[in-house]
Amino acid sequence: AQIFMQKGLKCPFNYNFVCKRYLLCCIIILEVIMDCIFCKIGKGDIPSYTLYEDDIVKVMLDINPKADGHILVIPKNHTLDIDTIDNDTLIHIIKVARKMKKLLEEKLHVKGVMLVQNNGELEEVKHFHLHLIPPFNSNTRDIKEVYEILNG
């Protein structure tokens, strides 16, 4: 609105309503990102059982595993879900997931891996992440032991 007024033009929208709503949305988004546990893990502010990391993703063991070797692949840049993630990052995540599947097969001798990506109300952490989950009947080891096997 100030730009319009500086040029001697009338602002085409209700300045107070639109700008305040926009500002409120920006504040809410920043609060979500600043409080996002996966963003903090991606930056290294919170420790994790990291199996792989590059400029785009971090791969770690899930601290509440459904099975031994339950892995999460998270983008380091905050993105909410399948609707908001950019295609290049999504493709990279799938390529990394393929490598992690091979790691699980080689080190833990799993016979299959389920890929799960939740959205909306199903998404516990509001940050895109891909689960790689081995068969559920294989949850017998401590997470530290699994980490040592996969990193050994």
Side-chain angles (χ1 to χ4, degrees):
Q2 290 174 341
I3 294 170
F4 285 99
M5 292 191 297
Q6 287 173 355
K7 295 187 180 201
L9 302 170
K10 185 178 177 201
C11 184
F13 51 82
N14 181 334
Y15 172 77
N16 287 331
F17 177 74
V18 173
C19 291
K20 285 180 182 175
R21 285 195 79 155
Y22 177 75
L23 184 59
L24 181 61
C25 287
C26 290
I27 290 169
I28 290 169
I29 289 167
L30 282 173
E31 285 177 353
V32 168
I33 292 171
M34 289 172 56
D35 198 39
C36 175
I37 190 165
F38 284 171
C39 287
K40 291 176 182 177
I41 291 170
K43 286 186 266 180
D45 295 343
I46 296 176
S48 64
Y49 290 99
T50 302
L51 300 171
Y52 173 83
E53 183 172 7
D54 61 30
D55 292 340
I56 301 169
V57 299
K58 183 172 260 198
V59 179
M60 62 193 170
L61 289 173
D62 192 311
I63 60 168
N64 295 307
K66 304 284 188 224
D68 291 345
H70 181 164
I71 292 174
L72 299 177
V73 183
I74 62 166
K76 289 185 173 181
N77 290 331
H78 188 85
T79 186
L80 182 60
D81 57 24
I82 196 76
D83 294 323
T84 60
I85 192 167
D86 66 273
N87 289 338
D88 291 338
T89 302
L90 186 58
I91 290 166
H92 184 71
I93 287 171
I94 295 300
K95 287 179 179 179
V96 170
R98 184 182 290 155
K99 291 177 188 175
M100 293 299 105
K101 175 190 170 286
K102 290 177 184 174
L103 178 70
L104 289 170
E105 290 170 341
E106 290 170 11
K107 300 282 186 163
L108 293 179
H109 311 289
V110 300
K111 303 294 181 201
V113 175
M114 180 171 46
L115 300 179
V116 177
Q117 197 284 309
N118 297 313
N119 290 276
E121 291 181 12
L122 298 173
E123 194 175 17
E124 223 172 287
V125 177
K126 303 301 183 194
H127 181 121
F128 182 96
H129 55 287
L130 180 67
H131 297 260
L132 281 80
I133 308 172
F136 290 141
N137 60 355
S138 65
N139 194 7
T140 58
R141 297 183 181 117
D142 179 73
I143 192 168
K144 292 176 187 173
E145 182 184 349
V146 173
Y147 180 71
E148 289 171 8
I149 292 168
L150 292 173
N151 272 336

